[in-house]
Amino acid sequence: MITRSSSKKSGSQKPIVVVGAGVVGAACAHHLASAGCSVVLIDRDKFGSGCSHGNCGYVSPSHILPLCRPGAISSSLKTLFLRNSPFKIRPRLDIHTWSWLVRFALRCNQPNMIQAGHARHALLDSSRRLYEGMMQSHLLGDCEWETRGLLFVYHKMKSFDDFSKTNELLSNEFGLPARRLDSSELIELEPALKPVVAGGWLYEGDAHLRPHLLMDSWKALMQKQDIPIYENCEFLDFDVSGKGVEAVQTTQGRIEADQVVFATGSWSRHMQSKLRTRIPVEPGKGYSITMPRPNRCPKFPMLFEDHKVGVTPTEGAYRLGSTMEFAGFDQTLREDRLTLLSETAKLYLHDPMTDPVLERWYGWRPMSCDEVPLIGRVPRFNNVWMAAGHGMLGLSMATATGKLISEMLTNDVPHIDPTPYRLDRF
């Protein structure tokens, strides 16, 4: 049993227990400790071993618009049964998945898209600034942080031209315009690309890094802050008194708790019965391949928008990633999904692959049905909180999420409006 002082403000002799040691959980623990709270961090696996490990490493204020937008359903259905479609639904009798898909479909309209966009924009913009501050102050160690921006690259001229409407929306509604590059300008800027590209759009405010180095940096920071980290420590249940939780039961024993924060990613949906609230989060499976840098390595991270594949060049490696597969918690490393990544890279790049392959990876992104995270107090409890459902943007939104959770738990004035992320919106 662990008993540590929880908060200088509350004077409690119990810690705040953060369940989930991915990038969001790490950010929550850091900001809570920085606010004077005593924190315990637990995870059912190793620190930073889930979806925080093998993603593309983008810190992307450009990713304002959600996937649930006008036309998303029809465009997805057109590609659903193609052999090399980046979007897949594996047929299963799972009522949770089909209920999630219906909820998602009902939000594929302009008003909901704009509403979700504003909620995402606030987190993304804040996180980008917080990351910059942490890098400049050396709170986080060397994680190959680069601020070159992010290129949206198009193979089809129609898609390239159509993005003009999206760029106009992002510029007018959110104040975030991109730089338009025709084919020759794009190849001049990024000579690693073949001359098959129609054009691209550059978001100069985006950044990128190596995710596993970021998680190593977070862990080192946790240790400096005297935050105990319990790995292979799975949450089992609560000890509840009225509307409050007094302790959590884990596979390593009982931990008394002043408050509990669930940063459990895709696994959050399994907490619905214990938390007595609806958590419409589904695992969206993504893949990546990591290699040494090729001879003709891209300078910029890129998204091949017509094929939904990302490329991340860093100082020490080169990664291809993406795809979206709804298959529950399927643990198969599917060769056809990895092949989709490599074949797409061959279409766009002079040197698409290199040997040896350092890692072939998959992870489950926590996809909320409205593409807005769930950040706030769990309605049925006075001292239980959630920070989950960040989809493909957990890394991009982590720092602002951690700060917001800390502000709400310690009764500080929130630096962004927490209303759009409340759990009782569903």
Side-chain angles (χ1 to χ4, degrees), residues 315-365:
E315 182 182 331
Y318 166 76
R319 177 168 289 170
L320 305 175
S322 197
T323 81
M324 180 67 71
E325 184 179 46
F326 287 97
F329 290 96
D330 172 60
Q331 299 183 34
T332 307
L333 187 67
R334 295 184 181 274
E335 292 297 329
D336 59 327
R337 309 308 280 166
L338 296 171
T339 299
L340 187 151
L341 300 179
S342 59
E343 291 301 311
T344 297
K346 291 175 184 177
L347 179 63
Y348 286 85
L349 297 168
H350 289 289
D351 289 343
M353 301 286 290
T354 186
D355 290 321
V357 171
L358 304 175
E359 184 177 36
R360 290 149 39 98
W361 175 91
Y362 71 84
W364 296 297
R365 311 178 186 99

Side-chain angles (χ1 to χ4, degrees), residues 13 41 71 79 89 104 133-134 171 229 241 291 352 368 401:
Q13 294 303 306
L41 183 62
T79 64
I89 300 176
F104 178 92
M134 295 183 79
S171 180
I229 301 171
S241 176
M291 299 155 278
S368 71
T401 298

Side-chain angles (χ1 to χ4, degrees), residues 100 268-272 275 277-282 374 386 388 423 426:
W100 183 96
S268 299
R269 82 168 199 180
H270 295 313
M271 306 295 175
Q272 288 188 121
L275 297 180
T277 194
R278 183 178 290 115
I279 305 172
V281 171
E282 276 293 305
L374 290 77
M386 177 158 282
L423 274 69
F426 299 107

Side-chain angles (χ1 to χ4, degrees), residues 115 118-123 126 372-373 375-376 400 404-405 407-408 413-422:
Q115 183 181 36
H118 281 289
R120 290 157 63 93
H121 181 45
L123 283 172
S126 172
V372 175
I375 307 169
L404 184 58
I405 280 286
E407 290 162 343
M408 290 191 287
V413 177
H415 75 291
I416 57 177
D417 181 8
T419 306
Y421 319 109
R422 68 191 188 283

Side-chain angles (χ1 to χ4, degrees), residues 9-10 259 385 404-414:
K9 295 188 178 185
S10 69
Q259 304 196 62
W385 305 77
L404 184 58
I405 280 286
S406 173
E407 290 162 343
M408 290 191 287
L409 264 70
T410 58
N411 296 314
D412 281 342
V413 177

Side-chain angles (χ1 to χ4, degrees), residues 97-244:
T97 300
W98 292 106
S99 173
W100 183 96
L101 288 167
V102 170
R103 291 175 181 276
F104 178 92
L106 291 173
R107 288 168 170 82
C108 291
N109 58 71
Q110 188 81 2
N112 280 339
M113 180 187 74
I114 296 298
Q115 183 181 36
H118 281 289
R120 290 157 63 93
H121 181 45
L123 283 172
L124 289 166
D125 186 59
S126 172
S127 272
R128 175 65 175 83
R129 287 184 278 106
L130 288 166
Y131 270 119
E132 189 72 43
M134 295 183 79
M135 298 301 174
Q136 290 181 353
S137 64
H138 303 291
L139 269 177
L140 293 173
D142 181 16
C143 47
E144 299 185 10
W145 169 259
E146 295 187 56
T147 56
R148 293 179 181 271
L150 179 65
L151 276 171
F152 286 55
V153 178
Y154 288 88
H155 189 258
K156 301 174 184 176
M157 182 59 70
K158 184 180 185 305
S159 303
F160 172 54
D161 288 336
D162 284 349
F163 191 79
S164 298
K165 300 172 187 175
T166 302
N167 182 58
E168 183 178 356
L169 172 65
L170 292 175
S171 180
N172 294 339
E173 185 75 28
F174 304 99
L176 192 71
R179 176 182 161 196
R180 187 184 190 277
L181 301 161
D182 65 22
S183 179
S184 60
E185 291 172 317
L186 179 58
I187 292 169
E188 182 178 358
L189 182 69
E190 181 48 88
L193 287 166
K194 291 180 178 180
V196 297
V197 293
W201 298 83
L202 174 62
Y203 281 94
E204 297 175 303
D206 284 22
H208 68 285
L209 46 72
R210 289 192 76 181
H212 81 278
L213 295 181
L214 173 67
M215 296 312 299
D216 289 346
S217 296
W218 276 120
K219 191 170 187 178
L221 182 55
M222 306 291 101
Q223 292 167 343
K224 289 180 182 177
Q225 292 180 293
D226 194 29
I227 298 173
I229 301 171
Y230 293 88
E231 299 179 318
N232 302 309
C233 180
E234 185 172 0
F235 167 82
L236 298 176
D237 208 345
F238 296 124
D239 289 348
V240 179
S241 176
K243 293 188 69 174

